[in-house]
Amino acid sequence: MPLPADTLSYDFDEEGVGFGAPKTPAAAHGDGLSGAQKIALTMVGLGLLSLVAQVSGGFIAGSWLGLATSIGLLAVGAILAFWLQHRDSVAGIKHDGIFFSSLLARGSAAWIAGIGMTGLYVLLYWYPQYLGQPVVGGEPTGLIRVVDPLARLMTGYPASQWFLYGVLYTGAIFVFGVRMIMKYRHNRYQQIRTASVAFFQLVFAWFLPNLLVRFRQPYMEFNGVWPLKQNYLWPEKAAGQFLDAGAFGIFLLCFAVALVVATPVLTYFFGKRWYCSWVCGCGGLAETLGDPFRQLSSKSTRAWQIERWMIHSVLVIVLVVTASLWIDYKMTGNLYGSWSGPLRQWYGFFIGAVFSGVVGVGFYPLLGSRVWCRFGCPQAAILGLWQRFFSRFRITTNGGQCMSCGNCSTYCEMGIDVRAYAEKGENIVRSSCVGCGICAAVCPRGVLKLENGGTHADRYAGAATPITAFLDALEHRPKLVMPVAASGSQRDDPAVKRK
Amino acid sequence: MHVVIIGNGITGATAALELRQLDADCRITMISGESKFHFSRPALMYIFMGHMSYQQTKPHPDSTWADNRIELLRDWITDIDTASKQLSLHKGGTLDYDRLLIATGARSNKFGWPGQDLQGVQGLYDLPDLKRLHDNVITAKQAVIVGGGLIGIELAEMLHSCGVPVTFLVRESSYWNNVLPEPESAMVSRLIRQAGFGLKLETGLKEIEDDGTGRVGAIITDKDERIECQLVGLTAGVSPNIQLVKETAIDTGRGILVDWSLRTNVADVFAAGDCAEIVTEGDGRNLLQQVWYTGKMQARIAARGLAGLEATYDPGIWYNSAKFLDLEYHTYGQVNLCIPAEQNLYWEHPDGLHSIRIVYLADRVIGINTMGVRFRHRLCEAWIAEQRPLEYVLEHLAEANFDPEFCRRFEAHAAAQFSKAVA
Ligand SMILES: Cc1cc2nc3c(=O)[nH]c(=O)nc-3n(C[C@H](O)[C@H](O)[C@H](O)COP(=O)(O)OP(=O)(O)OC[C@H]3O[C@@H](n4cnc5c(N)ncnc54)[C@H](O)[C@@H]3O)c2cc1C
Ligand code: SF4
Ligand code: SF4
């Protein structure tokens, strides 16, 4: 029997042309904003206006009123807007239209946002004078002046570019944290985890460090660990500042060391997520401000290969730089001589500023939210090695329920092809997985679950001998040919089992 | 040896890759007129709603096929000549095969309604349907969906996401209650109404009206109600896609008839997945399985046959999952099949968004249904396969939970209620 004519004539180029957004149908209703939402957005607009006015003209700049009516109004308005947006919706996945959005799917709006955010970092790092950073001893102006009253209250000093950065950073985590908590209100793991990163950012990375400044103690972010904050173990910092600061310095040093020691233990029990998705400030920003962009991470095998080389190279560089600086220090400069300063500067420039700031955050709208965490963070590299080879954490898959839709892979910010494991019914045991739990939250068939397991031994083939597994892994790069229907799948197949 | 596979759905794609594992040397060609590469059919809705791009619904990197030396052909097969082992291609030419797997899937049912071929009337099965939907929503002020099942509710969600109001016509007295037991079905019906969809129960389609230009203008129900609409979704189930083989030597019934090794009556021709109907000897009913995982499992058996190996299909213990708007549904074993002497225990949370059902006989549990709660497939399967008695299952119920960490847990509550009910 011949096939129908409209079937035979179908030859659409789904790859090249693609499907795109449905054209607005005749029935589409207005903008759908409620009165309250309009008020919230007006607050955001007024806050922005006030900010611009204060940066350019001054007027109430530098007063509490100025701060409240600019950044304050902006934050409150945005929180209100996000809250209202999700309050009346049914709890569940909210991904409609993401791949039609210019901002969220790498369209022109994403480029504008990316350039804007990158620009802010460039100003912060290299041209703070344009943000109003004063010459030594002077008064701040411009944008920095807006946060000046808060800086004086907190630290007793005038605001600097880094104080401004801290306020914006912490503020972004809070505003977008509310968005996250409302968006994922069908999933308590997401809510609790978001509250946790917001708490650690506010108290450990912002409040306490600024308090230290107030009491003229060495500055330290309490949720930062070597090697993420690698300069904490640089000789001057460790020996000079911490030890010389007396008992308090020793306390800080113990704290930092405890984190280094606690790291493998906590990672053994919970996976690297205890840090990356619950405590870390970089992770905190990625999981809140970065959440709308998580789908942009590349899932290609090529990206995976680059990732493995790059992140482990950074780890080696950090280890070498730290060790050699200590040797240099002990040899009173005989190793590097006058080069030790530039070495630090170069490291700080490439890894600290360019990688983690400009590319890591500035490129959220272009490369996704975890570029730094995935390709550059030495802390993530260490935790990842622990997690991969010696931890109880794994993501389990629910038997044969996966229908290969791809939501999990699409929304994995670390670019892990979760589906490739799920459709075979295999555990996901990957060093890069930050345990954000989004794959499990978005799966429409309930296939994925983050679990700590009772033991490490049943996670992957060869888990009983993690050191051998590690050495083996050194010899294998990710395979280009995914073993699609390889022997592993037989285990899952009742049809073959009974043969 | 040249193995040709018609269809690149989950069945065709799994068979091709599995065959490559079993036989490193044979030539494999996989053909589909729908798309160049295999993609996930259940993800159609996510492409339309913008959750994913089409590219992201492809389970394997494009390089997989070349790496596994599987030749892909984008064309429609128009005829099979089993005597000369030759296929005719729509774009011209022929293709010879030594062994053939037919995995042509299914098609949306059309029951001969007047007007069913008008513009604006469509099913939701494949990429051509997706393309049609893009064209049809442009003028749609109101849509009617005929038939309430899993695909109907997905279509409704898609239309809703771009602002087209939807009315369902459902023949049953409650949504999908030929599969879901009454309370679960009521739960879904309630959610459908809450989402703002019109739901007309015990109502069928009588006729689709032309608006004068060859497009649909309205429908008339079997209660003679007229509903103006510019789009009609026909989602009253699917049937095996057997048009291609209808007039060949290959036997068909509802689907392509095959034995438990997925062989058709013609030597070297196999069929599997949605298009296959497995003939059951004796008084059992023939087996027609039309879901994702059965396509995958049948493909593995068919691949063995294509490789010249022996294998027999074992459907195992039935399971499935779906999502009704934001409500997740898992099912394991035999539920709502009115097995003689079956008994049911049902717990529902007061919020009407979570439920657990256990179906059991005097000596063992035979089925489990959950709504808004995720259960572990392997555990439920083991309980049913090992014929665990009710007491055992109730005692271990909490272990079956598969919800994310920190989610509210209901098993203890449900088990307590169940134990009381039994005692
Ligand atoms: C919208 C939707 C949602 C679904 N959701 C789920 C779900 O959540 N869970 C689940 O388990 N199942 C689901 N299903 C069912 C599931 O998708 C099917 O069971 C499965 O796709 C069947 O796979 P198959 O390979 O047998 O056939 P198909 O996927 O239909 O593939 C058949 C292929 O053969 C090609 N073909 C047919 N005739 C010819 C010809 N003459 N020449 C060339 N090529 C031809 C077709 O173009 C098609 O590509 C869903 C189905 C739909 C439509
Ligand atoms: S695990 Fe879930 S989200 Fe991922 S492909 Fe499978 S069904 Fe889709
Ligand atoms: S695999 Fe899942 S939990 Fe891990 S990083 Fe990706 S989305 Fe997050």
Side-chain angles (χ1 to χ4, degrees), chain A residues 294 393 395 408 411-414 416 418 428 432-440 450:
Chain A
R294 57 172 60 250
F393 172 73
I395 303 176
C408 53
Y411 289 93
C412 174
E413 55 194 346
M414 297 305 284
I416 298 172
V418 184
I428 294 128
S432 59
C433 170
V434 290
C436 64
I438 292 295
C439 53
L450 281 62

Side-chain angles (χ1 to χ4, degrees), chain A residues 401-409 419 422 442-445 447-448:
Chain A
Q401 292 282 24
C402 172
M403 40 94 177
S404 301
C405 67
N407 276 295
C408 53
S409 298
R419 164 174 57 191
V442 302
C443 172
R445 293 292 176 270
V447 177
L448 303 159

